[in-house]
Amino acid sequence: MSPTDVDIENLPDTLRTALEQGSDGPLNAICNAHAPPDLSDALETLPEDQAVAFFQRLESACAAPVYAHLEPDHQSRVLAALDEQQAADLVSALSLDDAVAVIDGLGDEHADSLMETLPAESQEAVGSLLAYPEESAGRVMTPEYVTVQPEWTVNEAMEHLRANHEVAETVNTVFVTTAAGELLAWVRLKELLLARPWNRVSELMHTDVASITAEEDREEAAHRISHYDLNVLPVVDDQGHMLGIITVDDVMDVLRAETTEDFHRMAAVGDVVLSLRDASMGLLYRKRIGWLLILVVVNIFAGLAIAHYEAAIESVVALIFFLPMVIASGGNTGSQAATLVVRSLAINDVRLRDAWRLGGKELGVSTALGLTLAAAIWLSGNWLGSLEVANAIALGMFLVVVFGAMFGMLLPFALTAMRMDPAVASAPLITSVIDIVGILIYFGVAVAMLGL
Amino acid sequence: MSPTDVDIENLPDTLRTALEQGSDGPLNAICNAHAPPDLSDALETLPEDQAVAFFQRLESACAAPVYAHLEPDHQSRVLAALDEQQAADLVSALSLDDAVAVIDGLGDEHADSLMETLPAESQEAVGSLLAYPEESAGRVMTPEYVTVQPEWTVNEAMEHLRANHEVAETVNTVFVTTAAGELLAWVRLKELLLARPWNRVSELMHTDVASITAEEDREEAAHRISHYDLNVLPVVDDQGHMLGIITVDDVMDVLRAETTEDFHRMAAVGDVVLSLRDASMGLLYRKRIGWLLILVVVNIFAGLAIAHYEAAIESVVALIFFLPMVIASGGNTGSQAATLVVRSLAINDVRLRDAWRLGGKELGVSTALGLTLAAAIWLSGNWLGSLEVANAIALGMFLVVVFGAMFGMLLPFALTAMRMDPAVASAPLITSVIDIVGILIYFGVAVAMLGL
């Protein structure tokens, strides 16, 4: 039977016990009985020397899929601890797309020396994939696939698939190409199976074939697979010749990584902190201090704006009391608007051409939000201060909220138009800018209306 | 050949032209030539009466997959505009899991009257799926699948699959059960295909079968499919009998919706704004005003805290100048920490039991961040004010940053421990709490050190 949740929970202890024994038998039994992702999760919790021993003592056939599921920094550290032959065996046993990901994650020197120890055939295949731009579809595709041709009979096609099943990562969907490799159509393995042996592939195939070129962004590959509900997407060159395939499980990893990147950018954390659990203190410090220092500098201007209105503060102390409420409301409304747009841009719900329409809608929404919040602060102002002060802070609130909302809504579009990642419009950045402009609007209105 | 990007870009116009013609021929041709997700995207941009006409004039066989890809609110509006028979035909032509999703999205009354018009068989199947809890695995599974038994020969298994291929949504992975339906193992269609006809299924099958019970959360189903790189996950009852399957494309939609929900909660936007493009102004207003009003109330305390230190502000005006910088730094550090934890909890990188270890790590990281930021502000303070003032604001900065980081890191864990969604620890909420505590810490330190 399959391992239970309790077995999986205890897997680190089970592994540790097996690693402390002299014989490799129990270790092999564990490796065969558990799914690779569970084994890699368990190994990540063990001390590094035990994780390394696991890969030293097991055959590559069982160890490679486990290695493929380790987090990138664990992969690099294990590889560095193995001797040259062990490392080469392990990497050669990976599927090509996984091997590329591993080598990609190493420093240049280490990558070069590892490449030299690989068999000539793997060297060439890995090298050609590494030639594609970073984060492109070409980098995550695998060139291990089989295709059939339209003029073949079902019988010929099935024979071809049987003969080539070992080189192909998936054959659930089979692509149909010309003899020269030009992508024409796709056919389900199921359909070949159910057809009569003398039928032609051309009678069964579907010509509505989605594809992507190798130079396009891997995120676009993820969108296309998700949009068309595919299990596998063919990758082609500019002339439409097939180069490889991208499978849905690779794409789920891409989407998860890109989404995490968006989350972190939105909170002004630098890139590449993909696992909080494994990140070192030094890495976390470096990824966070940059934006914090930049924002300190931005907030100097907020200080200057307040200092500029020192006289106004001294004559009407109620103004400083309501300041945090007004400024925070502007920042909060702006963060809401920015988050809505950034997420909608990320999932293609909204595109750049929608900017004006959505800006118009946000003007309506933020007017309503601003009026509600102005009413709330007017009531408190009237209760705590005077009618004149209440009118001034209510108008200030309204203007700051509308400004915050419009800034939060339009900044991500502006970044997109400049071909930058809209997620750079982080909540802290937006809040800081709204702080400064908000202080100027708030005191400017107060000075004008109260005649200070 | 397959439609080009330009064809897809022009699809709304092409559809409009076809809908304005009397004959249904061109409309049928368009429906057959394009992928359902592209057609549904195009229909969503057309006026409602044209979108409705599309479903009135086309056969269900072509229209149903297009309908399945519409956004939920478009689905409801189209259904309401169709007559009873058309609506029943369309819903009956959907796959069962899609039909459940549509009926689930209707109001109770409308759902009941639609159910009554469905064929008895569909009524029963849809009803049994709707009996599972909301957002459970049972609600998103489809009960349309075929299984094989371990004692069957490969030939018998293949015959069974051929005979039942029309009822099964996918047969790329075939599950193996006892005659009573107890889930035992899985086998790839490819493996059955490559084996000799007289082999037994039991010789080919894999017993490391991941599954989920129907009552578990659909998000857990998504995690399991992603973790084990599956195309399909079997759903079982408490006794391990198979009830249905969940496919990877359904799960990608679940993950996308859950992630969007997290993004929006982090920015203090209420739930259910899944498409910014389609959301009405009224909906956007209602989903945003609640948290904004709550945060205004919270910020009253920030105002009170400032008012409390009025005397200190009047005697050392430099204090108000540096206030925004210190408070914003605390809020920014806290947002970073909260976002890192919320995202890591969402992707199972981190669990509740990691709270103390990560809290310890954050104490180290935030000490380093606090020291850096304190040094930066000390330099500005020394330049603009005096050494005493610089010392006081630097200590204030350090304490506020460490407090902000620890609060941002631990609040999501505390919410998880109370079985609440950690994403409720939104950046605006954290910022507002840090505003109040930060003002008290900052002025408290200043008053104590400067003897005000």
Side-chain angles (χ1 to χ4, degrees), chain B residues 147-297:
Chain B
T147 59
V148 297
Q149 293 174 27
E151 64 277 12
W152 291 359
T153 62
V154 166
N155 196 38
E156 287 168 330
M158 293 302 292
E159 282 305 313
H160 183 71
L161 293 179
R162 281 203 189 88
N164 289 282
H165 77 276
E166 287 200 350
V167 301
E169 194 174 86
T170 174
V171 289
N172 295 331
T173 302
V174 181
F175 294 101
V176 184
T177 66
T178 62
E182 196 189 340
L183 179 66
L184 295 176
W186 61 280
V187 59
R188 289 185 193 90
L189 180 58
K190 171 173 148 179
E191 289 164 327
L192 289 174
L193 204 68
L194 297 168
R196 292 160 204 277
W198 56 86
N199 282 152
R200 299 272 159 192
V201 169
S202 55
E203 300 168 52
L204 306 169
M205 69 189 195
H206 312 271
T207 56
D208 60 334
V209 57
S211 64
I212 191 164
T213 61
E215 278 75 25
E216 280 181 89
D217 197 295
R218 59 180 194 169
E219 209 173 344
E220 181 54 37
H223 282 306
R224 221 160 282 179
I225 284 183
S226 163
H227 180 70
Y228 292 113
D229 290 343
L230 304 174
N231 283 320
V232 52
L233 178 74
V235 182
V236 296
D237 65 16
D238 294 337
Q239 279 76 46
H241 293 91
M242 206 166 150
L243 298 171
I245 55 172
I246 297 178
T247 53
V248 65
D249 54 312
D250 299 327
V251 147
M252 289 184 82
D253 297 341
V254 167
L255 277 183
R256 193 170 70 165
E258 299 278 354
T259 305
T260 299
E261 194 180 274
D262 277 358
F263 262 104
H264 291 174
R265 285 204 180 141
M266 287 295 292
V269 177
D271 302 343
V272 202
V273 187
L274 287 181
S275 168
L276 176 61
R277 192 184 56 185
D278 296 326
S280 71
M281 284 202 207
L283 179 68
L284 284 170
Y285 173 79
R286 288 194 304 278
K287 292 299 167 189
R288 291 167 64 180
I289 192 66
W291 269 108
L292 290 177
L293 281 174
I294 292 170
L295 293 170
V296 160
V297 174

Side-chain angles (χ1 to χ4, degrees), chain A residues 13 19 46 71 81 135 166 190 261 357:
Chain A
D13 292 330
L19 283 164
L46 295 185
E71 293 286 334
E135 309 216 330
E166 287 200 348
K190 171 172 148 178
E261 194 180 276
R357 197 171 60 79

Side-chain angles (χ1 to χ4, degrees), chain A residues 116-239:
Chain A
E116 279 167 27
T117 63
L118 293 180
E121 202 182 321
S122 308
Q123 257 185 57
E124 198 183 330
V126 169
S128 70
L129 290 179
L130 282 172
Y132 291 106
E134 271 187 54
E135 309 216 330
S136 68
R139 276 282 178 102
V140 290
M141 76 181 181
T142 169
E144 296 157 315
Y145 61 93
V146 252
T147 59
V148 297
Q149 292 174 28
E151 64 278 10
W152 292 358
T153 63
V154 166
N155 196 39
E156 287 168 330
M158 292 303 292
E159 281 306 312
H160 183 70
L161 293 179
R162 281 203 188 87
N164 289 281
H165 76 276
E166 287 200 348
V167 301
E169 193 175 87
T170 173
V171 290
N172 295 332
T173 302
V174 182
F175 294 101
V176 184
T177 66
T178 61
E182 195 188 340
L183 179 65
L184 296 176
W186 61 280
V187 60
R188 290 186 190 91
L189 180 58
K190 171 172 148 178
E191 289 164 327
L192 289 174
L193 205 69
L194 296 168
R196 290 158 206 278
W198 56 85
N199 282 150
R200 299 273 159 192
V201 170
S202 55
E203 301 168 52
L204 307 168
M205 68 190 195
H206 312 271
T207 56
D208 60 333
V209 57
S211 64
I212 191 164
T213 61
E215 279 74 25
E216 280 180 88
D217 197 295
R218 58 180 194 168
E219 208 174 341
E220 181 53 37
H223 281 307
R224 221 160 282 178
I225 284 183
S226 161
H227 180 70
Y228 292 114
D229 291 343
L230 304 175
N231 283 320
V232 51
L233 178 74
V235 182
V236 295
D237 66 15
D238 293 338
Q239 279 76 48

Side-chain angles (χ1 to χ4, degrees), chain B residues 314-339:
Chain B
E314 276 171 20
S315 58
V316 185
V317 175
L319 286 181
I320 194 87
F321 174 78
F322 288 106
L323 181 66
M325 227 184 283
V326 171
I327 299 304
S329 296
N332 293 339
T333 317
S335 303
Q336 287 182 336
T339 303

